[in-house]
Amino acid sequence: MTTHAPLTWLPWCTRLSGLGAIVLALTLSGCLEGDPPILTKDALDGISVGGTARLADLTPERPDTVCVLYPYHTTVPPDEPESDRINRALADDGYRGDEMEWTIVFAGKNAVKHASFRRTGGLDIMASHEAGPQIRAMIPDGLTPAGCTTGAQAGFAKLVWHERTYLVFGRLD
């Protein structure tokens, strides 16, 4: 028979004021863990296969520049707009690329933010430099693959290639 330690925190918890109890409940539930994500997996999952979506329709953020860091990439190429500022911010945040994730970076006037996503068979990223003729033929008209673009033109296309669902990031006309 297993015995459990008594709930020694219970008397402390019962002495909380009404506001203190609410703050404790919100903290324990994760509701006070900082800013909401700049982009969610649910928003990306909602893009139809064979379709496109403007980034502005997927997030309330309005960045000036948006870039994608593909698996293994830790910096934005130096020829991209605002690459020095973006790369400095990523380094300051301790960002490390990983083979199992990709990251979208939003660069606004006052901040650089990023969100990373795990690669899965249900949702992966197709690097713009990997989009050969067969892939490009599958991308809907109006989206030009790119590593970075303006926030106003940023968007995704979703396609299936070899039984894997991919997003292609780029510039939507």
Side-chain angles (χ1 to χ4, degrees):
M1 177 189 220
T2 305
T3 59
H4 299 281
L7 298 175
T8 56
W9 59 271
L10 188 57
W12 169 80
C13 183
T14 59
R15 290 191 306 260
L16 289 175
S17 68
L19 181 58
I22 291 170
V23 170
L24 177 65
L26 289 172
T27 301
L28 291 175
S29 70
C31 292
L32 296 180
E33 289 185 1
D35 295 331
I38 60 171
L39 182 63
T40 66
K41 183 178 179 307
D42 287 343
L44 298 173
D45 285 339
I47 302 170
S48 300
V49 171
T52 61
R54 287 198 178 278
L55 189 62
D57 295 334
L58 304 174
T59 178
E61 298 283 332
R62 296 296 176 257
D64 298 319
T65 301
V66 181
C67 298
V68 168
L69 296 175
Y70 300 105
Y72 298 108
H73 292 203
T74 57
T75 59
V76 171
D79 59 334
E80 294 290 359
E82 300 192 64
S83 63
D84 289 341
R85 185 169 76 93
I86 292 169
N87 290 335
R88 239 185 343 270
L90 290 169
D92 290 348
D93 284 350
Y95 177 77
R96 295 260 185 228
D98 183 296
E99 77 174 287
M100 290 307 297
E101 70 180 21
W102 60 275
T103 299
I104 188 162
V105 182
F106 290 17
K109 287 178 182 38
N110 299 319
V112 174
K113 301 176 182 180
H114 59 89
S116 296
F117 298 91
R118 299 296 293 169
R119 298 172 68 198
T120 67
L123 190 63
D124 200 350
I125 190 81
M126 176 69 67
S128 58
H129 61 274
E130 293 176 340
Q134 290 178 317
I135 298 292
R136 287 187 186 270
M138 297 170 66
I139 297 172
D141 289 340
L143 184 108
T144 303
C148 292
T149 190
T150 65
Q153 292 180 306
F156 290 98
K158 187 183 270 186
L159 54 90
V160 175
W161 176 254
H162 293 289
E163 300 178 26
R164 193 168 179 97
T165 303
Y166 288 95
L167 292 172
V168 178
F169 175 77
R171 184 175 45 260
L172 273 170
D173 298 329

